[in-house]
Amino acid sequence: MTKQHWKPGTMVYPLPAVMVSCGSTPENYNIITIAWTGTICSDPAMCYISVRKNRHSYNIIKESGEFVINLTTKDLAYATDWCGVKSGKDFDKFKEMKLTPGKSKEISAPIIEESPLSIECKVTKIVELGSHDMFMAEVVNVQADERYINEKGEFSLAKSGPLVYSHGHYFELGELIGRFGYSVMKKKTKEKIKKSKGLE
């Protein structure tokens, strides 16, 4: 197998394409599309977003110390892209994309009602890195769309058609390959799962 050597670059893909909502009052509500985001700790639950200093949302988030990570779907693909290329200095993104600002439980920043999952975050630290600054944050509440919660109380994001970003392109997630631990799962357990899902 022959491999090429490239100069250092951000090649960890795919990534979630999320819409981050921010602002303490309706007058300064804004949405910024972010791909540089992820989980950094399980207990306490923490995540991050990385934002360029010249983005309109940067100072809004820095001053308020809070934001909401809204997961996106195939149906939200157009709005996700649009909110990433247009500036909140020039547009009311909620109005332009016909998105609904909803009430967060623990913070002032709004959620996006159309998102299947909204993660309310409080900034704990800002790390200056270079092209981007990283906003490290604690998750203080999560709002999940009941349409994707089954009778057992389990949330299935896959049913919403999750959107991911890979090197300048958006994709909808594909077929299920397995679940965590399937490589070491006992045969009887695998058969039980297949039977419960009517796959036999």
Side-chain angles (χ1 to χ4, degrees):
M1 182 182 296
T2 303
K3 294 193 176 184
Q4 295 182 6
H5 293 273
W6 294 352
K7 66 180 181 179
T10 51
M11 299 301 295
V12 180
Y13 290 110
L15 295 163
V18 303
M19 287 193 285
V20 173
S21 48
C22 57
S24 300
T25 63
E27 292 73 32
N28 74 339
Y29 283 172
N30 194 43
I31 301 168
I32 179 174
T33 298
I34 297 282
W36 295 175
T37 183
T39 299
I40 51 176
C41 188
S42 299
D43 187 13
M46 294 185 69
C47 55
Y48 80 93
I49 59 171
S50 289
V51 187
R52 291 181 183 271
K53 285 183 178 179
N54 64 353
R55 297 299 297 267
H56 180 64
S57 293
Y58 179 92
N59 285 324
I60 296 175
I61 296 170
K62 186 175 182 179
E63 290 169 11
S64 67
E66 56 187 39
F67 58 87
V68 181
I69 295 175
N70 301 276
L71 301 190
T72 58
T73 66
K74 180 181 179 181
D75 291 340
L76 290 170
Y78 184 89
T80 300
D81 184 65
W82 195 92
C83 287
V85 297
K86 297 293 185 179
S87 174
K89 290 184 292 187
D90 305 316
F91 297 95
D92 179 337
K93 295 184 182 182
F94 277 99
K95 182 178 179 181
E96 293 290 334
M97 290 294 99
K98 297 181 172 57
L99 296 171
T100 311
K103 186 172 177 56
S104 290
K105 181 175 180 288
E106 300 293 336
I107 62 177
S108 299
I111 68 165
I112 297 174
E113 290 283 2
E114 290 76 10
S115 169
L117 197 77
S118 299
I119 306 164
E120 301 175 28
C121 302
K122 283 190 177 180
V123 177
T124 59
K125 187 176 182 179
I126 302 173
V127 183
E128 294 189 11
L129 298 172
S131 62
H132 293 65
D133 283 1
M134 176 190 285
F135 290 84
M136 299 171 65
E138 183 173 355
V139 175
V140 293
N141 188 58
V142 177
Q143 296 193 42
D145 191 327
E146 292 184 346
R147 288 180 296 172
Y148 308 113
I149 300 175
N150 64 23
E151 62 280 355
K152 295 180 181 178
E154 300 168 333
F155 182 77
S156 178
L157 182 64
K159 292 181 180 177
S160 72
L163 194 68
V164 296
Y165 178 82
S166 183
H167 209 58
H169 300 84
Y170 302 100
F171 295 90
E172 181 182 4
L173 286 185
E175 293 292 323
L176 174 68
I177 294 173
R179 69 177 195 178
F180 178 75
Y182 85 100
S183 63
V184 295
M185 192 181 294
K186 292 181 180 178
K187 187 177 179 180
K188 285 185 179 180
T189 306
K190 288 182 181 179
E191 291 173 352
K192 187 177 179 182
I193 291 173
K194 281 186 178 180
K195 187 174 181 180
S196 68
K197 293 186 177 181
L199 300 175
E200 288 188 328

